[in-house]
Amino acid sequence: MNIEMIRAAQARLEGHARRTPLLNSPFLDEIAGRRVWVKPECLQHTGSFKFRGGWSAVSGLDPEARARGVIAFSSGNHAQGVALAASRHGVRSIIVMPSDAPQSKIDNTRALGAEVVLFDRAKDDRNAICARLSEEHGLTLIVPYDNPLVIAGQGTCGLEIAEQASAEGITKADVLVCCGGGGFTAGVALALEADAPCLRARPVEPEDFDDMARSLASGVIERNSRLSGSLCDAIITPQPGNLTFPIVSRLAGPGLVVTEDEALHAMAHAFSRLKLVAEPGGAVALAAALFHADEIEGEDVIVTISGGNVDADVFRMALDKFGG
Amino acid sequence: MNIEMIRAAQARLEGHARRTPLLNSPFLDEIAGRRVWVKPECLQHTGSFKFRGGWSAVSGLDPEARARGVIAFSSGNHAQGVALAASRHGVRSIIVMPSDAPQSKIDNTRALGAEVVLFDRAKDDRNAICARLSEEHGLTLIVPYDNPLVIAGQGTCGLEIAEQASAEGITKADVLVCCGGGGFTAGVALALEADAPCLRARPVEPEDFDDMARSLASGVIERNSRLSGSLCDAIITPQPGNLTFPIVSRLAGPGLVVTEDEALHAMAHAFSRLKLVAEPGGAVALAAALFHADEIEGEDVIVTISGGNVDADVFRMALDKFGG
């Protein structure tokens, strides 16, 4: 896993992924006590940064494997990213989703061109289903973060941040990355190491699901005690990846942890000050910038909004609580 | 009023206004039955395209007049655009606002650096207040649309659309513009005439406030019968401008008119498919693309989202009605 893989991914994404802007607002600066720069990956195709990794993985396959198609398991953003990347390449994708996933996510994944195979979380073995389908149809499995091509794709966001920060005259800053399995954080950290060594990636997670922060603190991979019960579901994973953790550990600063209410509050600020729709998991980095200012260094902070795929009822909850 | 004034404004806005992206979604294409391209000016500084006109007007003054400061009357987006443009130039601005304007808008305008002077809609003469303050303090009045520098600033959005459409291979399309007094429509129409004659501006207004559409149909300036009672307040004006109407009349296609519910429905689609916050008046062009497809020609349509300054309760209303 190295910077050349990220640059190669960037070349493959050119003209296909969106180059998202770097936004700011004097109102957010005021709250945070420093300049806050926002990289809104909710504006990426399929509403999250996952399209970068999906496109990178599909486009990076050798032509024969690609022609046979791909398979992925995901109930959320990775599913949509892979589905659209595959259909725009004109190849087949099967997405294995839990049967209790929200109908809207199942519908969206199908509408983006995937065949959806549902499994019962209680009875079925997801990995076995994937393995069987993969073998039967010759499909390449694209796992959500512990995959070099996926990490390389997410890293392209870091290359853009390096370039945009330089254009804004930002010389030193923490770059807060919404963190699940660590693919986004690892990719961004590698990109910054190469192109903006004055910028430091830092993972941000929700309270009670801070496996990466604890793993960074202890130096070994730590697990979450549970995997459900968070509004930040988009970035909940069992533990840091075997491929991502060493990279994050080597390059990133300490993890930050925010409460669910802080994430909802940040969503309300993204609504009123940036006119952006963030999902709870996608708002944790902005929440850290706004409400954990004393844990951050420097006159500037850069935050990712990793996705905006939130149902109306959860968005209403954020506005009810914090929208004024 | 000519294209050179718009190009000069573009040079002055360079590095100060945002170049907003051109977004799309397969889900919107499906509803509209053609490709829908969205120019999200809600992502512009101060949350609306009005910052372009404000910056153009302040930066276009001669240095002596600029140093004395500016004055504007507005209860909404123009106020914020002028306030931020003035404060970033380091000059004074007074914004004359009705005392019953939402507190949040008064607070925001102040926070962006303006002195706010409130007047009583029932008793006071707004124009007399502006004239007195302007004379007392030597301030230049910046009216919201019937001002060549303002129209030139709004036109910079049209230059960007021309360039972005060409990059996307769009050869012929209607460009739907949210229309109040016609400054945005006139500026965009002039820019398209010069840089993309295959693109045609068309104003979009809310039902019962369709003064521009009726004026275009009759060939003379028609007034609205009332000025309040619309959620689309950001784009409600008494009648087309004396400066804007001849331009729109010469260059734009027929006006489109949407219902308030269609605007709210379009807001819900912008939320779920684009992850953008649109205000009701800012969503009328998207509403026309989605729900008045038979009044539009061509395989592509380009729509502006003119602003995103909507209170949480109105946004909730859109999600309650149409957010699923």
Side-chain angles (χ1 to χ4, degrees):
Chain A
M1 194 64 240
N2 58 47
I3 186 68
E4 294 316 319
M5 295 176 67
I6 302 179
R7 297 205 201 284
Q10 189 177 40
R12 295 197 304 277
L13 266 68
E14 175 72 33
H16 301 290
R18 286 193 183 120
R19 181 187 169 87
T20 51
L22 194 65
L23 304 176
N24 63 347
S25 157
F27 295 100
L28 299 181
D29 298 352
E30 171 94 22
I31 299 171
R34 54 170 61 87
R35 290 194 299 177
V36 180
W37 302 90
V38 176
K39 181 74 172 165
E41 284 294 304
C42 48
L43 299 180
Q44 190 52 262
H45 294 295
T46 71
S48 89
F49 74 97
K50 291 283 190 178
F51 179 75
R52 295 178 186 264
W55 187 276
S56 172
V58 173
S59 63
L61 291 176
D62 73 70
E64 265 181 51
R66 185 165 60 237
R68 286 193 301 271
V70 296
I71 183 167
F73 51 85
S74 162
S75 59
N77 291 336
H78 180 61
Q80 297 188 42
V82 170
L84 186 63
S87 67
R88 291 222 173 142
H89 276 89
V91 305
R92 180 179 193 185
S93 69
I94 293 182
I95 308 289
V96 179
M97 302 180 85
S99 52
D100 60 351
Q103 190 61 41
S104 64
K105 295 202 170 171
I106 297 173
D107 291 347
N108 285 346
T109 306
R110 280 207 182 105
L112 292 169
E115 301 162 46
V116 172
V117 171
L118 299 175
F119 72 95
D120 184 327
R121 280 186 211 254
K123 291 192 302 193
D124 300 335
D125 177 349
R126 182 191 69 183
N127 293 339
I129 295 175
C130 278
R132 181 176 53 78
L133 289 168
S134 167
E135 185 164 330
E136 264 180 38
H137 304 286
L139 306 174
T140 302
L141 175 66
I142 302 178
V143 297
Y145 48 88
D146 246 0
N147 171 326
L149 286 171
V150 170
I151 297 172
Q154 324 305 28
T156 62
C157 184
L159 296 180
E160 292 176 13
I161 289 172
E163 216 182 296
Q164 291 168 319
S166 163
E168 296 289 357
I170 303 166
T171 52
K172 192 172 173 3
D174 281 353
V175 177
L176 311 188
V177 186
C178 308
C179 183
F184 196 18
T185 312
V188 167
L190 284 166
L192 297 181
E193 180 193 27
D195 282 9
C198 53
L199 303 181
R200 177 178 69 156
R202 294 184 66 184
V204 187
E205 294 162 295
E207 201 176 48
D208 297 336
F209 302 89
D210 57 345
D211 50 310
M212 182 63 87
R214 287 185 289 107
S215 302
L216 288 175
S218 72
V220 294
I221 288 180
E222 311 262 356
R223 295 179 62 83
N224 285 317
S225 57
R226 58 192 170 98
L227 288 177
S228 61
S230 174
L231 288 175
C232 301
D233 58 305
I235 59 165
I236 304 299
T237 48
Q239 62 182 54
N242 292 321
L243 210 57
T244 61
F245 179 65
I247 299 168
V248 175
S249 178
R250 180 170 68 84
L251 296 174
L256 292 150
V257 180
V258 305
T259 67
E260 202 164 271
D261 260 4
E262 288 171 337
L264 291 171
H265 199 164
M267 286 169 65
H269 282 300
F271 162 82
S272 63
R273 300 311 184 185
L274 298 169
K275 315 306 170 188
L276 291 175
V277 176
E279 63 196 20
V284 296
L286 179 58
L290 297 179
F291 309 123
H292 293 254
D294 57 341
E295 298 169 48
I296 297 166
E297 283 171 28
E299 288 175 17
D300 292 273
V301 63
I302 299 169
V303 310
T304 56
I305 292 183
S306 55
N309 292 317
V310 54
D311 285 341
D313 56 347
V314 174
F315 198 77
R316 265 189 297 250
M317 188 190 305
L319 294 186
D320 288 342
K321 276 195 162 177
F322 301 105
Chain B
M1 195 64 239
N2 57 48
I3 186 67
E4 293 317 320
M5 296 178 66
I6 301 179
R7 297 205 200 284
Q10 188 177 42
R12 296 197 305 278
L13 266 67
E14 175 72 32
H16 302 289
R18 285 192 185 122
R19 182 188 168 87
T20 51
L22 194 66
L23 304 176
N24 62 347
S25 157
F27 295 99
L28 299 181
D29 299 352
E30 172 93 22
I31 299 170
R34 54 169 62 86
R35 290 194 299 176
V36 179
W37 302 90
V38 176
K39 180 75 171 165
E41 283 294 304
C42 48
L43 299 180
Q44 189 52 262
H45 293 296
T46 72
S48 89
F49 74 98
K50 291 282 189 178
F51 179 76
R52 296 179 186 264
W55 187 276
S56 171
V58 174
S59 64
L61 291 177
D62 72 71
E64 266 182 52
R66 183 165 60 237
R68 287 194 300 272
V70 297
I71 183 168
F73 51 84
S74 162
S75 59
N77 291 337
H78 180 59
Q80 297 188 42
V82 170
L84 185 63
S87 67
R88 292 223 171 140
H89 276 88
V91 305
R92 180 179 192 185
S93 68
I94 293 183
I95 309 289
V96 179
M97 302 180 84
S99 51
D100 59 351
Q103 191 61 40
S104 64
K105 295 204 169 168
I106 296 174
D107 291 346
N108 285 346
T109 306
R110 278 207 184 103
L112 292 170
E115 301 162 47
V116 172
V117 171
L118 299 174
F119 72 96
D120 184 328
R121 280 185 210 253
K123 291 192 303 191
D124 301 334
D125 177 348
R126 182 191 69 183
N127 293 337
I129 294 176
C130 278
R132 181 176 55 77
L133 289 168
S134 166
E135 186 163 330
E136 262 179 40
H137 303 286
L139 306 173
T140 303
L141 175 66
I142 301 179
V143 298
Y145 49 86
D146 245 1
N147 172 329
L149 286 171
V150 170
I151 297 172
Q154 322 307 27
T156 62
C157 184
L159 296 180
E160 292 176 14
I161 289 172
E163 218 182 294
Q164 291 167 319
S166 163
E168 296 289 357
I170 303 166
T171 52
K172 192 172 176 353
D174 281 353
V175 177
L176 310 188
V177 186
C178 308
C179 183
F184 196 18
T185 312
V188 168
L190 282 166
L192 298 180
E193 180 193 27
D195 283 9
C198 53
L199 304 181
R200 177 177 69 156
R202 295 183 66 183
V204 186
E205 293 164 296
E207 200 175 48
D208 297 336
F209 301 90
D210 58 345
D211 49 310
M212 182 64 87
R214 286 185 290 107
S215 302
L216 288 175
S218 72
V220 295
I221 289 180
E222 311 261 357
R223 294 181 63 84
N224 285 316
S225 57
R226 59 191 169 99
L227 287 177
S228 60
S230 173
L231 288 176
C232 300
D233 58 305
I235 59 165
I236 303 300
T237 48
Q239 61 182 55
N242 291 321
L243 212 56
T244 60
F245 179 65
I247 299 168
V248 175
S249 177
R250 180 170 67 84
L251 296 174
L256 293 150
V257 180
V258 305
T259 67
E260 203 165 90
D261 261 4
E262 287 171 337
L264 291 171
H265 199 164
M267 286 169 65
H269 282 300
F271 162 83
S272 63
R273 300 311 185 184
L274 298 169
K275 316 305 172 189
L276 291 174
V277 176
E279 63 197 20
V284 296
L286 179 59
L290 297 179
F291 309 123
H292 293 255
D294 56 341
E295 298 170 47
I296 298 166
E297 283 171 27
E299 287 175 18
D300 292 274
V301 63
I302 299 170
V303 310
T304 57
I305 292 184
S306 56
N309 292 317
V310 54
D311 286 340
D313 55 348
V314 173
F315 199 77
R316 266 189 297 250
M317 189 191 303
L319 294 186
D320 287 343
K321 276 194 161 177
F322 301 106

